[in-house]
């Protein structure tokens, strides 16, 4: 349990510098944010102790391994709290589920499932959801196939060198072995361990693990490392905006990417196929901030836009960037 901490302007500049680049050393961070190396060590240590920085996260392009992420929205009968808990438990036990969250609005739960094909995803959804059909009021599914991750500009000035990720656009089938999978699984669950610590915990020699990590980087599978942040401690709320258009065109997508690059609260833009076309992840400190973003999107695309579903993320239950994927049942 972290302790309360007042987040200063220097803290925010440090978080902005390291959030998508956890491999920066203290000297580089100090140069970027304009402070001393001891101050960097001291502030990061306090941010970790207060629970603002939750741990490292590995950015993995699952499309390079032939996998697709499927997003699921679920609305559940309101009186069925026990069933809701059992459903969350069933989702959490499924090795293909990478992310689960409780949400507000017209839905109650959202989750991501990783599978090698729609057939495999359908089989897994059927196995889990078939046991809860009487309690599921509504569901929506989409396949996510390309994403752009942007810095959280509200943390610091835009003068920093931009460090962002784009992946999933060109799915291939890179071949990796069990040792690579073991390494990726450990990296996706890491908190603050060093590579040496991870090598000991999974029983792979340090030189072998480092060589595997370098190869995964070179293959475009492991894109880098960032930090997971507790947004509540930063007084920030997280939303998903799911956009449906009359016809999705490259001009619409390019215009949205341009907006996301300029808009300091949009963190993620995802291309989808299914119940919606584009998904935006938005981290907004105030309700007015999210209202302005949605208003801007409506004004920009009023003739092409069919619907925006805005979903507040209330509680993240599970988040693993490389689940242990099993195929259809």
């Amino acid at each position: 349990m972290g302790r309360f901490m007042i987040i200063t302007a220097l803290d925010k500049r440090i978080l902005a510098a390291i959030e998508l680049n956890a491999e920066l050393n203290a000297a580089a961070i100090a140069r970027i944010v304009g402070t001393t190396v001891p101050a960097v060590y001291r502030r990061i240590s306090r941010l970790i102790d207060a629970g603002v920085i939750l741990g490292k996260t590995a950015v993995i392009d699952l499309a390079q391994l032939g996998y697709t992420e499927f997003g699921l929205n679920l609305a559940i009968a309101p009186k069925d709290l026990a069933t809701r808990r059992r459903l969350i438990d069933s989702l959490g036990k499924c090795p293909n589920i990478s992310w689960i969250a409780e949400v507000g609005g017209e839905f109650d739960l959202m989750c991501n499932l990783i599978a090698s094909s729609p057939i495999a995803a359908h089989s897994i959804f059927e196995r889990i959801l078939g046991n809860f059909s009487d309690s599921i009021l509504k569901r929506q599914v989409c396949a996510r196939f390309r994403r752009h991750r942007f810095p959280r500009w509200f943390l610091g000035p835009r003068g920093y060198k931009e460090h962002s990720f784009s992946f999933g656009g060109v799915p291939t089938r890179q071949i990796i072995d069990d040792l690579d999978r073991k390494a990726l699984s450990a990296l996706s669950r890491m908190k603050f361990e060093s590579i040496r610590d991870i090598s000991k915990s999974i029983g792979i020699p340090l030189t072998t693990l480092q060589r595997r990590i370098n190869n995964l980087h070179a293959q475009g599978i492991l894109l880098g490392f960032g930090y997971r942040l507790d947004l509540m401690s930063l007084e920030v709320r997280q939303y998903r905006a799911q956009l449906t258009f009359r016809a999705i065109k490259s001009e619409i997508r390019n215009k949205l990417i341009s907006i996301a690059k300029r808009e300091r609260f949009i963190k993620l833009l995802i291309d989808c196929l299914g119940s919606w076309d584009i998904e935006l992840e938005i981290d907004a400190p105030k309700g007015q901030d999210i209202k302005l973003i949605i208003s801007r999107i409506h004004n920009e695309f009023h003739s092409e836009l069919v619907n925006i579903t805005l979903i507040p993320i209330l509680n993240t239950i599970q988040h693993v960037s490389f689940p242990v994927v099993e195929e259809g049942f």
Side-chain angles (χ1 to χ4, degrees), residues 86-100:
R86 289 198 302 274
L87 175 55
I88 292 172
D89 186 56
S90 294
L91 290 169
K93 289 178 180 177
C94 176
N96 294 68
I97 299 292
S98 60
W99 179 78
I100 307 169

Side-chain angles (χ1 to χ4, degrees), residues 96-152:
N96 294 68
I97 299 292
S98 60
W99 179 78
I100 307 169
E102 294 179 298
V103 301
E106 63 179 302
F107 295 101
D108 301 287
L109 292 175
M110 295 176 70
C111 71
N112 297 341
L113 179 142
I114 309 300
S116 62
S117 69
I119 293 174
H122 180 274
S123 177
I124 295 164
F125 279 140
E126 184 179 49
R127 180 180 67 90
I128 297 173
L129 301 183
N131 296 322
F132 299 93
S133 57
D134 292 342
S135 298
I136 295 174
L137 302 179
K138 182 179 180 181
R139 65 181 176 86
Q140 292 181 336
V141 181
C142 78
R144 299 190 178 103
F145 59 90
R146 181 169 45 207
R147 62 184 63 210
H148 297 271
R149 173 67 161 85
F150 307 102
R152 288 186 171 108

Side-chain angles (χ1 to χ4, degrees), residues 266-282:
I266 296 178
K267 185 185 78 173
L268 197 64
L269 183 149
I270 309 171
D271 290 280
C272 304
L273 179 64
S275 299
W276 56 94
D277 301 309
I278 298 286
E279 186 167 322
L280 301 175
E281 188 169 309
I282 305 169

Side-chain angles (χ1 to χ4, degrees), residues 202-213:
I202 63 178
I204 298 177
L206 178 60
T207 54
T208 301
L209 178 59
Q210 190 62 66
R211 185 172 63 252
R212 294 292 180 132
I213 290 173

Side-chain angles (χ1 to χ4, degrees), residues 34-50:
T35 190
T36 64
V37 170
V40 168
Y41 280 120
R42 185 167 60 250
R43 298 312 300 181
I44 290 179
S45 176
R46 289 179 180 176
L47 289 164
I48 292 171
D49 183 49

